[in-house]
Amino acid sequence: MTSSSAEGERRRRFDNLVSVYHADMFRYAAWLCRDRSIAEDVVQEALLRAWKSLDSLRNESAAKHWLLTIVRRENARYFERRRLETVDIDSLTAAQAAILAETPDEALADMRRAIFELDDDYREPLVLQVLMGYSTQEIGRMMGLKQGAVLTRLHRARHKLMDRMANE
Amino acid sequence: MNCEEYRQALTADPAWTDETGHAAACAGCQAYTRKLQSLNLEIARAMQIEVPALAMPDLPDIDAARVTTLPARRRSWAPLWFAVAATVVLAASISLRMSGLFVTYDTLAEEVLAHLDHEPASLRVTEVPVSDDRLQRALPANVAVFDRDRALVTYANPCIINGHRVPHLVIQGQYGPVTILLMPEERVAESIPLEGDSVRGMIVPVGNGSIAIIADRDEPLDPLRRNVIESITWTT
């Protein structure tokens, strides 16, 4: 295969993957960082990294897991880089408010607010289970947790949401 | 199974199936199940936030024809006879390539890079350190001592490289996890560069052995190498 046709094939392969998984990547990033514009930055960085290391992906059926792992790592890097900067609580709330503002009905907005208020440790496994469809075993592998710990977090996450929605 | 156990299992995992038939005989748990199903639907709906149009970043040119890939992992569904045959061929190949009085350094480099591919779970961005017990099991005091004040160790496992037991550690670098393989029995004359698909690093001679350091491509290698070497004291 010539260099240019190999490059073309590589680019086609990448475009196909991105077209299928871009929405998952964005939503995962958005629920991790709770901010649309940061999520867009994280996804951009993740796409760049995925492009550079595309050749390490040998099995297309693992593409979703591979891309989400890159998003997770980029999100951690993003906040690691900004750890020493002042965190503006008001602007974080404003970022969440922007997502809530696009919500079509009040009940849905209440649920989004409740999910935003979950600790990261509870929100992330819930997103991976409900939105991404991963089993508790797979979530454990992604988050570096034992399956029992994942089950505990998911149980607590739903209980918190139940309590919160009951008080709305 | 009692109500508490049933509800706990179902709340943690909606895909869980009640093989004991508890809910069939418990009106309270049937109501709880319906309430939970409704909650799960609301959560799923709430998580479907609007996705912006895809904005592809400027992708750098990559000479695809020159990209080399690491060997693929063995597929778990392969028939047993094939796995055995492949293992025999692989073992024969490694023993041929690694036999003799002198180590073939390129082969060691390949084996080190391939090893990374076989333990992807080690490469997590995390701030949770491994326990002292775990580190000691992977890195016995009669092999080397690692100064934990110099780096955050987030993974430690005893592995086999070129037939020798090798402590495999992961520390957190500036650009993500950094793999360190302590190879007290692999003597190398000079540094050997390592080039993977998205990683790079080196095998550096340290005392009578060597240390492989592999990191993200963006990680500055020189300060990393200095820090790792200063963190390790061989005790063999």
Side-chain angles (χ1 to χ4, degrees):
Chain A
M1 192 183 282
T2 64
S3 180
S4 62
S5 69
E7 279 172 43
E9 182 53 40
R10 194 178 192 279
R11 180 59 198 251
R12 271 190 296 280
R13 183 185 177 212
F14 186 70
D15 287 345
N16 283 341
L17 286 180
V18 173
S19 67
V20 173
Y21 295 116
H22 172 249
D24 283 341
M25 291 172 78
F26 176 78
R27 287 192 175 119
Y28 183 41
W31 283 109
L32 284 181
C33 65
R34 296 175 287 175
D35 183 314
R36 285 188 78 91
S37 62
I38 294 176
E40 287 183 47
D41 288 349
V42 166
V43 169
Q44 289 277 301
E45 289 296 322
L47 288 174
L48 258 179
R49 232 167 245 281
W51 167 248
K52 288 178 189 171
S53 60
L54 181 64
D55 305 284
S56 67
L57 176 68
R58 291 177 210 107
N59 182 356
E60 302 295 293
S61 67
K64 180 176 170 180
H65 176 83
W66 180 70
L67 287 167
L68 293 184
T69 302
I70 296 175
V71 168
R72 185 170 201 267
R73 202 173 293 163
E74 286 308 318
N75 181 66
R77 282 197 180 107
Y78 183 94
F79 284 98
E80 182 67 26
R81 285 196 294 270
R82 281 151 184 77
R83 194 160 59 166
L84 299 178
E85 292 175 12
T86 309
V87 176
D88 184 345
I89 299 296
D90 289 338
S91 76
L92 192 63
T93 310
Q96 293 172 22
I99 296 178
L100 295 174
E102 71 185 33
T103 308
D105 66 71
E106 198 53 37
L108 198 61
D110 287 341
M111 178 57 83
R112 284 188 178 165
R113 199 173 292 116
I115 298 172
F116 278 142
E117 287 173 7
L118 287 176
D119 286 348
D120 294 352
D121 287 347
Y122 296 145
R123 195 173 58 254
E124 187 179 2
L126 194 65
V127 170
L128 288 170
Q129 187 185 57
V130 176
L131 196 58
M132 303 301 163
Y134 286 119
S135 70
T136 52
Q137 206 169 16
E138 289 167 325
I139 296 168
R141 278 200 295 272
M142 281 184 90
M143 295 184 67
L145 295 170
K146 291 211 160 69
Q147 192 180 11
V150 174
L151 288 167
T152 303
R153 290 185 187 192
L154 287 166
H155 177 262
R156 288 183 185 159
R158 284 199 175 83
H159 253 286
K160 283 173 187 287
L161 292 179
M162 257 188 228
D163 291 348
R164 170 70 199 267
M165 297 313 285
N167 293 329
E168 281 295 329
Chain B
M1 170 170 277
N2 62 30
C3 294
E4 179 65 26
E5 288 164 343
Y6 172 85
R7 292 176 191 199
Q8 199 159 355
L10 195 66
T11 310
D13 188 358
W16 173 76
T17 47
D18 172 24
E19 288 172 357
T20 65
H22 170 85
C26 177
C29 284
Q30 285 171 20
Y32 182 84
T33 304
R34 284 193 295 275
K35 186 178 161 189
L36 197 62
Q37 284 168 344
S38 159
L39 178 82
N40 286 330
L41 283 175
E42 284 175 53
I43 295 171
R45 203 167 139 246
M47 284 183 177
Q48 298 288 339
I49 54 175
E50 204 174 304
V51 177
L54 169 64
M56 192 69 89
D58 288 335
L59 302 174
D61 290 339
I62 288 176
D63 189 351
R66 296 186 61 187
V67 170
T68 55
T69 54
L70 299 176
R73 264 173 276 173
R74 181 161 52 82
R75 303 177 80 146
S76 58
W77 48 260
L80 185 61
W81 65 265
F82 181 76
V84 171
T87 306
V88 170
V89 170
L90 184 65
S93 156
I94 288 175
S95 68
L96 278 174
R97 287 154 68 199
M98 302 292 287
S99 64
L101 295 173
F102 303 102
V103 175
T104 311
Y105 296 134
D106 283 345
T107 306
L108 178 64
E110 278 175 18
E111 190 173 355
V112 163
L113 282 170
H115 182 73
L116 234 71
D117 195 41
H118 292 142
E119 291 193 32
S122 67
L123 299 175
R124 286 192 304 121
V125 175
T126 174
E127 293 181 351
V128 181
V130 291
S131 66
D132 287 338
D133 279 353
R134 174 100 192 172
L135 183 59
Q136 202 170 9
R137 276 201 298 276
L139 179 57
N142 61 358
V143 174
V145 173
F146 187 88
D147 181 357
R148 295 195 74 162
D149 290 337
R150 285 183 167 272
L152 176 65
V153 183
T154 56
Y155 180 86
N157 201 38
C159 297
I160 301 293
I161 297 282
N162 193 22
H164 300 300
R165 186 188 153 105
V166 164
H168 175 167
L169 309 181
V170 172
I171 62 172
Q172 296 297 307
Q174 205 178 327
Y175 288 85
V178 177
T179 299
I180 300 171
L181 299 171
L182 305 179
M183 304 185 288
E185 293 173 83
E186 294 292 349
R187 188 190 284 236
V188 298
E190 56 186 14
S191 285
I192 301 168
L194 298 171
E195 288 286 338
D197 290 334
S198 57
V199 295
R200 66 187 179 122
M202 63 188 90
I203 299 173
V204 287
V206 180
N208 289 327
S210 59
I211 298 175
I213 305 166
I214 308 109
D216 187 283
R217 286 199 163 275
D218 295 333
E219 191 81 38
L221 285 181
D222 276 345
L224 179 64
R225 178 180 52 81
R226 274 196 303 276
N227 191 32
V228 169
I229 291 174
E230 285 168 14
S231 310
I232 306 285
T233 309
W234 292 130
T235 51
T236 47

